[in-house]
Amino acid sequence: MSEATRTVTVASSSGLHARPASLFVQTVTASGHQVTIAKGDKSVNASSILGLLGLGVNTGDEVVLTVSGDDAETTADSLVEFLTTDHDAA
């Protein structure tokens, strides 16, 4: 089993709140991987909407993703792409 870690600056204009957080959780769950997301010294399971909202991730915040499982590198890259896209843009 492999593990991949990425440090990402969040691009969504409202951070990871409401719709972007929900989409991110769906993406993580669909990947079938164990994913944690950390902001500062707080880390949560990225497939938990409540955990994710509890981190209070805002635009421009830096988070650390850790992905465990087969093909973790590819999943980590796709999650980085998700976080660096503004999902609040109309």
Side-chain angles (χ1 to χ4, degrees):
M1 184 178 314
S2 60
E3 187 170 283
T5 304
R6 302 284 189 277
T7 301
V8 192
T9 301
V10 176
S12 268
S13 54
S14 68
L16 283 180
H17 299 285
R19 187 172 158 275
S22 175
L23 292 171
F24 185 72
V25 166
Q26 288 172 23
T27 303
V28 168
T29 303
S31 79
H33 288 75
Q34 272 293 103
V35 181
T36 58
I37 184 168
K39 177 184 165 190
D41 59 0
K42 194 173 173 189
S43 176
V44 299
N45 180 335
S47 62
S48 163
I49 187 77
L50 292 176
L52 192 57
L53 292 173
L55 277 182
V57 177
N58 296 307
T59 309
D61 282 354
E62 200 171 79
V63 296
V64 177
L65 291 175
T66 305
V67 181
S68 301
D70 296 335
D71 208 20
E73 296 288 337
T74 303
T75 299
D77 289 341
S78 68
L79 293 175
V80 165
E81 192 174 314
F82 182 97
L83 292 173
T84 56
T85 302
D86 185 355
H87 294 279
D88 295 309

